[in-house]
Amino acid sequence: MSEAGKQALWGGRFEGASDPLFRRFNDSLPFDYRLAMEDIAGSIAWAKAIHRAGVLSPEELAQLLAALAELAVDIEKNPAAPLGSGEEDVHSWVESRLIKRVGTLGKKLHTGRSRNDQVATDLRLWTRSQIDARAGELVDLQRSLVDLARRHASCVIPGYTHLQRAQPVLLGHWCLAYVEMFDRDRARLADARRRVNVCPLGSGALAGTAYAVDRDQIARDLGFDAATANSLDAVSDRDFVVETLGALSLAAVHLSRMAEDMILYCTQEFGFLELSDAVSSGSSLMPQKKNPDSLELIRGKCGRIVGSHAAMTVTLKGLPLAYNKDMQEDKEPLFDAMESASLSLRMAAVVVANTSVREQRTLAAAKGGYSNATDLADYLVAKGVAFRESHEIVGRAVRFALAADKPLEDLTLDELRQFCPLIGEDVFAALAVESCLRKREVAGGTGPAAVSKAVESAARRLGMA
Ligand code: ARG
């Protein structure tokens, strides 16, 4: 038998050697080495469990735990240590290192355990800590948005529908729209985490372990909320991966939308925002260029993350119970999506902190585009005109103003009165951008008081001073 065959955990049943291409195709160590710490943590819990079940003596347990602790130190020093060992997967790597350290005793650890419940446990531990890290990064990004809102508390921008100027809003209101989305993303991750945080260990290969282990105790030892309830489900369930990727996908969509808003606002056509040199690139050909590459990559990475979610969903479709090797394909999409999401979230926070706002331009744009037309209609309503009629009247006034190439507030009182004699001198105050904002102090609206209240409440929620 070949070296490779001898090394494998399952060599006994085999006479022939593995084809080298099969090895490359089958081995997961090149990517699952990232689970080494989790595999060690799971192994520690399992060693304790089979000790309590009478499989290991106290001395054997102590020896195994010491060896596992040493292994953890090695991994901490060099997380890539397993690479190049030629082992099939991270589980084989941990076991073979143990055997190197404690000899035959290392061969006892796998008693009653399968790589099927082992890998499900490892992946849940890894996903749990990654979810917590993403939640922290979401908070950091939200804080940077609140900072931006505070730095430009009175900045007015045009609000858009159909990407046509619609009504003026405060920049802070725009910031808080994204803060809301990221709040929901955190909530979705927290919800997914509840179903991530259950412990498959003790499910064996599929039927449950034959040893008298205390599964609730194992779950507690690993910080899980509970043990899984059905061994067939426990080893074949990757819903937690799909759910986590789903939550990440939506967060990535939000990041991408924010990036798109900012990319537009950075164009010379809009000219609202300017990114600092720290987060922009130039062109190798066109000397004048400054491109928002950071934002474009945030928008671009969304595709990878959504793709990972789709890949995992389709991988599970049609899998019979229980474990199938297809499930090894869960790791790369999850690892890649987590890393992409982490980079994007951190980059977005840095970009927001490196954004300056050209308040004169945003104000001028907010005043243009007849975005106070609704307020003229509301003015007429206050004078007793039914809204549908005032809408019609203002529509005609806008057409007149367009032909004269003037904003509504630059028409004379006489010009305005041709459309409705109820219009008086007080109309000009109603058409001012400050008035358009002040009228919208409704909860959730863009009124300056409402926005400042919302900014401060977000700041408190995010633990900011
Ligand atoms: N590398 C495998 C995976 O990631 C570990 C489980 C292997 N189980 C098995 N029965 N071959 O899924």
Short mmCIF file of all heavy atoms in Angstrom, two decimals, residues 10 26-29 31-32 35 88-91 114-120 123 205 238 323-331, ligand 1:
data_model
loop_
_atom_site.label_atom_id
_atom_site.label_comp_id
_atom_site.label_asym_id
_atom_site.label_seq_id
_atom_site.Cartn_x
_atom_site.Cartn_y
_atom_site.Cartn_z
N TRP A 10 -8.56 5.51 7.47
CA TRP A 10 -9.42 4.38 7.12
C TRP A 10 -8.65 3.32 6.33
O TRP A 10 -9.24 2.49 5.64
CB TRP A 10 -10.61 4.88 6.30
CG TRP A 10 -10.24 6.05 5.39
CD1 TRP A 10 -10.48 7.36 5.64
CD2 TRP A 10 -9.56 6.01 4.13
NE1 TRP A 10 -10.00 8.16 4.63
CE2 TRP A 10 -9.43 7.36 3.69
CE3 TRP A 10 -9.04 5.00 3.33
CZ2 TRP A 10 -8.80 7.70 2.48
CZ3 TRP A 10 -8.42 5.33 2.13
CH2 TRP A 10 -8.31 6.67 1.72
N ASN A 26 -10.17 14.84 -3.14
CA ASN A 26 -10.84 14.40 -1.92
C ASN A 26 -10.37 15.14 -0.66
O ASN A 26 -11.15 15.38 0.25
CB ASN A 26 -10.58 12.89 -1.76
CG ASN A 26 -11.30 12.29 -0.57
OD1 ASN A 26 -12.54 12.33 -0.51
ND2 ASN A 26 -10.56 11.75 0.38
N ASP A 27 -9.09 15.48 -0.65
CA ASP A 27 -8.54 16.06 0.59
C ASP A 27 -9.10 17.45 0.86
O ASP A 27 -9.21 18.28 -0.06
CB ASP A 27 -7.01 16.15 0.48
CG ASP A 27 -6.36 14.77 0.52
OD1 ASP A 27 -7.09 13.76 0.59
OD2 ASP A 27 -5.11 14.71 0.47
N SER A 28 -9.41 17.70 2.10
CA SER A 28 -9.93 19.03 2.45
C SER A 28 -8.95 19.83 3.29
O SER A 28 -9.21 20.99 3.61
CB SER A 28 -11.28 18.90 3.18
OG SER A 28 -11.18 18.01 4.27
N LEU A 29 -7.81 19.23 3.64
CA LEU A 29 -6.86 19.96 4.49
C LEU A 29 -6.45 21.33 3.94
O LEU A 29 -6.34 22.28 4.72
CB LEU A 29 -5.59 19.12 4.76
CG LEU A 29 -4.68 19.74 5.83
CD1 LEU A 29 -5.29 19.59 7.22
CD2 LEU A 29 -3.28 19.14 5.78
N PHE A 31 -8.05 23.58 2.79
CA PHE A 31 -8.93 24.68 3.27
C PHE A 31 -9.43 24.45 4.70
O PHE A 31 -9.55 25.40 5.45
CB PHE A 31 -10.08 24.96 2.30
CG PHE A 31 -10.84 23.74 1.82
CD1 PHE A 31 -11.92 23.26 2.53
CD2 PHE A 31 -10.46 23.08 0.66
CE1 PHE A 31 -12.63 22.16 2.09
CE2 PHE A 31 -11.16 21.97 0.21
CZ PHE A 31 -12.24 21.50 0.93
N ASP A 32 -9.65 23.18 5.11
CA ASP A 32 -10.24 23.03 6.44
C ASP A 32 -9.21 23.12 7.57
O ASP A 32 -9.57 23.03 8.74
CB ASP A 32 -11.13 21.78 6.55
CG ASP A 32 -10.36 20.46 6.56
OD1 ASP A 32 -9.14 20.46 6.68
OD2 ASP A 32 -11.05 19.42 6.46
N LEU A 35 -9.92 25.10 10.59
CA LEU A 35 -10.75 24.63 11.70
C LEU A 35 -9.91 23.97 12.79
O LEU A 35 -10.46 23.35 13.70
CB LEU A 35 -11.79 23.62 11.18
CG LEU A 35 -12.80 24.15 10.16
CD1 LEU A 35 -13.70 23.00 9.66
CD2 LEU A 35 -13.65 25.26 10.76
N GLU A 88 -5.23 14.04 5.13
CA GLU A 88 -6.46 14.15 4.33
C GLU A 88 -7.29 15.38 4.73
O GLU A 88 -7.79 16.10 3.88
CB GLU A 88 -7.28 12.88 4.53
CG GLU A 88 -8.58 12.85 3.76
CD GLU A 88 -9.40 11.58 4.06
OE1 GLU A 88 -8.85 10.64 4.67
OE2 GLU A 88 -10.58 11.56 3.68
N ASP A 89 -7.43 15.55 6.03
CA ASP A 89 -8.23 16.69 6.51
C ASP A 89 -7.73 17.11 7.88
O ASP A 89 -6.82 16.49 8.44
CB ASP A 89 -9.73 16.38 6.50
CG ASP A 89 -10.07 15.14 7.32
OD1 ASP A 89 -9.30 14.78 8.24
OD2 ASP A 89 -11.12 14.52 7.04
N VAL A 90 -8.33 18.15 8.43
CA VAL A 90 -7.86 18.69 9.70
C VAL A 90 -8.03 17.70 10.84
O VAL A 90 -7.23 17.66 11.78
CB VAL A 90 -8.56 20.05 10.01
CG1 VAL A 90 -10.04 19.85 10.30
CG2 VAL A 90 -7.87 20.78 11.15
N HIS A 91 -9.06 16.87 10.73
CA HIS A 91 -9.31 15.88 11.81
C HIS A 91 -8.18 14.85 11.83
O HIS A 91 -7.70 14.47 12.89
CB HIS A 91 -10.66 15.21 11.61
CG HIS A 91 -11.71 16.14 11.08
ND1 HIS A 91 -12.17 17.21 11.81
CD2 HIS A 91 -12.33 16.20 9.87
CE1 HIS A 91 -13.05 17.89 11.06
NE2 HIS A 91 -13.16 17.29 9.88
N SER A 114 -17.17 10.21 15.29
CA SER A 114 -17.03 10.10 13.83
C SER A 114 -16.57 11.45 13.32
O SER A 114 -16.84 12.48 13.95
CB SER A 114 -18.38 9.74 13.20
OG SER A 114 -18.38 10.08 11.83
N ARG A 115 -15.92 11.46 12.17
CA ARG A 115 -15.60 12.76 11.60
C ARG A 115 -16.89 13.50 11.22
O ARG A 115 -16.88 14.71 11.03
CB ARG A 115 -14.69 12.60 10.39
CG ARG A 115 -13.25 12.37 10.78
CD ARG A 115 -12.37 12.31 9.57
NE ARG A 115 -12.66 11.15 8.75
CZ ARG A 115 -12.23 10.97 7.50
NH1 ARG A 115 -11.50 11.90 6.93
NH2 ARG A 115 -12.53 9.88 6.83
N ASN A 116 -18.00 12.73 11.13
CA ASN A 116 -19.25 13.39 10.74
C ASN A 116 -19.80 14.30 11.84
O ASN A 116 -20.19 15.43 11.57
CB ASN A 116 -20.30 12.34 10.33
CG ASN A 116 -19.84 11.53 9.13
OD1 ASN A 116 -18.84 11.86 8.50
ND2 ASN A 116 -20.56 10.47 8.82
N ASP A 117 -19.82 13.78 13.08
CA ASP A 117 -20.28 14.69 14.15
C ASP A 117 -19.17 15.68 14.52
O ASP A 117 -19.43 16.81 14.95
CB ASP A 117 -20.82 13.94 15.38
CG ASP A 117 -19.86 12.96 16.02
OD1 ASP A 117 -18.76 12.71 15.45
OD2 ASP A 117 -20.20 12.42 17.10
N GLN A 118 -17.94 15.25 14.27
CA GLN A 118 -16.80 16.12 14.58
C GLN A 118 -16.79 17.37 13.68
O GLN A 118 -16.67 18.49 14.17
CB GLN A 118 -15.52 15.30 14.35
CG GLN A 118 -14.27 15.86 14.94
CD GLN A 118 -13.08 14.92 14.70
OE1 GLN A 118 -13.25 13.78 14.23
NE2 GLN A 118 -11.90 15.36 15.03
N VAL A 119 -16.93 17.16 12.38
CA VAL A 119 -16.84 18.30 11.47
C VAL A 119 -18.04 19.23 11.64
O VAL A 119 -17.91 20.46 11.57
CB VAL A 119 -16.67 17.85 9.99
CG1 VAL A 119 -17.96 17.27 9.42
CG2 VAL A 119 -16.21 19.02 9.13
N ALA A 120 -19.21 18.63 11.92
CA ALA A 120 -20.40 19.47 12.13
C ALA A 120 -20.18 20.35 13.37
O ALA A 120 -20.54 21.54 13.38
CB ALA A 120 -21.64 18.61 12.29
N LEU A 123 -17.48 23.10 12.59
CA LEU A 123 -17.97 24.17 11.72
C LEU A 123 -18.93 25.09 12.47
O LEU A 123 -18.97 26.30 12.23
CB LEU A 123 -18.63 23.58 10.47
CG LEU A 123 -18.76 24.55 9.30
CD1 LEU A 123 -17.40 25.05 8.83
CD2 LEU A 123 -19.50 23.90 8.13
N ALA A 205 -21.48 8.64 13.66
CA ALA A 205 -21.46 8.76 12.21
C ALA A 205 -22.84 9.17 11.70
O ALA A 205 -22.97 9.93 10.74
CB ALA A 205 -21.04 7.45 11.56
N ARG A 238 -26.89 21.31 7.37
CA ARG A 238 -26.05 22.48 7.10
C ARG A 238 -26.94 23.72 6.92
O ARG A 238 -26.52 24.72 6.37
CB ARG A 238 -25.17 22.28 5.86
CG ARG A 238 -24.10 21.20 6.02
CD ARG A 238 -23.04 21.57 7.07
NE ARG A 238 -21.99 20.56 7.14
CZ ARG A 238 -22.03 19.45 7.90
NH1 ARG A 238 -23.10 19.22 8.67
NH2 ARG A 238 -21.04 18.59 7.89
N TYR A 323 -24.90 11.93 6.30
CA TYR A 323 -23.72 12.62 5.75
C TYR A 323 -23.42 12.13 4.35
O TYR A 323 -23.52 10.94 4.04
CB TYR A 323 -22.49 12.38 6.66
CG TYR A 323 -21.25 13.05 6.10
CD1 TYR A 323 -20.98 14.39 6.36
CD2 TYR A 323 -20.36 12.35 5.27
CE1 TYR A 323 -19.87 15.02 5.82
CE2 TYR A 323 -19.24 12.98 4.73
CZ TYR A 323 -19.01 14.30 5.01
OH TYR A 323 -17.91 14.93 4.47
N ASN A 324 -23.04 13.05 3.49
CA ASN A 324 -22.50 12.74 2.15
C ASN A 324 -21.30 13.63 1.94
O ASN A 324 -21.25 14.75 2.45
CB ASN A 324 -23.54 13.03 1.07
CG ASN A 324 -24.81 12.23 1.25
OD1 ASN A 324 -24.93 11.12 0.75
ND2 ASN A 324 -25.76 12.78 1.97
N LYS A 325 -20.36 13.16 1.16
CA LYS A 325 -19.13 13.93 0.99
C LYS A 325 -19.37 15.26 0.30
O LYS A 325 -18.56 16.19 0.43
CB LYS A 325 -18.09 13.11 0.22
CG LYS A 325 -16.65 13.62 0.34
CD LYS A 325 -16.15 13.65 1.79
CE LYS A 325 -14.67 13.95 1.92
NZ LYS A 325 -13.83 12.75 2.00
N ASP A 326 -20.50 15.36 -0.43
CA ASP A 326 -20.86 16.66 -1.01
C ASP A 326 -20.73 17.77 0.04
O ASP A 326 -20.45 18.92 -0.29
CB ASP A 326 -22.31 16.69 -1.50
CG ASP A 326 -22.75 15.47 -2.27
OD1 ASP A 326 -22.41 14.34 -1.84
OD2 ASP A 326 -23.46 15.63 -3.28
N MET A 327 -21.02 17.38 1.28
CA MET A 327 -21.10 18.40 2.33
C MET A 327 -19.75 19.03 2.65
O MET A 327 -19.70 20.10 3.27
CB MET A 327 -21.75 17.79 3.58
CG MET A 327 -23.24 17.54 3.28
SD MET A 327 -24.00 16.39 4.37
CE MET A 327 -23.92 17.35 5.82
N GLN A 328 -18.70 18.38 2.22
CA GLN A 328 -17.37 18.99 2.37
C GLN A 328 -17.29 20.30 1.59
O GLN A 328 -16.45 21.16 1.87
CB GLN A 328 -16.31 18.00 1.88
CG GLN A 328 -14.89 18.49 1.98
CD GLN A 328 -13.88 17.35 1.83
OE1 GLN A 328 -13.75 16.52 2.72
NE2 GLN A 328 -13.21 17.28 0.69
N GLU A 329 -18.18 20.43 0.60
CA GLU A 329 -18.22 21.66 -0.22
C GLU A 329 -18.83 22.84 0.53
O GLU A 329 -19.04 23.90 -0.04
CB GLU A 329 -18.99 21.41 -1.52
CG GLU A 329 -18.30 20.44 -2.47
CD GLU A 329 -17.01 21.00 -3.06
OE1 GLU A 329 -16.97 22.19 -3.40
OE2 GLU A 329 -16.02 20.24 -3.15
N ASP A 330 -19.19 22.61 1.80
CA ASP A 330 -19.77 23.73 2.57
C ASP A 330 -18.70 24.75 2.98
O ASP A 330 -19.01 25.91 3.21
CB ASP A 330 -20.49 23.20 3.84
CG ASP A 330 -19.58 22.38 4.76
OD1 ASP A 330 -18.37 22.24 4.49
OD2 ASP A 330 -20.11 21.86 5.78
N LYS A 331 -17.46 24.29 3.07
CA LYS A 331 -16.46 25.12 3.75
C LYS A 331 -15.96 26.29 2.93
O LYS A 331 -15.94 27.43 3.40
CB LYS A 331 -15.30 24.26 4.22
CG LYS A 331 -15.70 23.40 5.38
CD LYS A 331 -14.71 22.35 5.73
CE LYS A 331 -15.42 21.25 6.48
NZ LYS A 331 -16.42 20.54 5.64
N1 ARG B 1 -13.50 16.53 5.42
C1 ARG B 1 -14.83 16.07 5.70
C2 ARG B 1 -15.81 17.22 5.51
O1 ARG B 1 -15.40 18.32 5.49
C3 ARG B 1 -14.91 15.57 7.10
C4 ARG B 1 -15.96 14.52 7.29
C5 ARG B 1 -15.56 13.31 6.60
N2 ARG B 1 -16.49 12.24 6.87
C6 ARG B 1 -16.50 11.14 6.13
N3 ARG B 1 -17.38 10.27 6.44
N4 ARG B 1 -15.69 10.97 5.15
O2 ARG B 1 -16.98 17.02 5.39
#
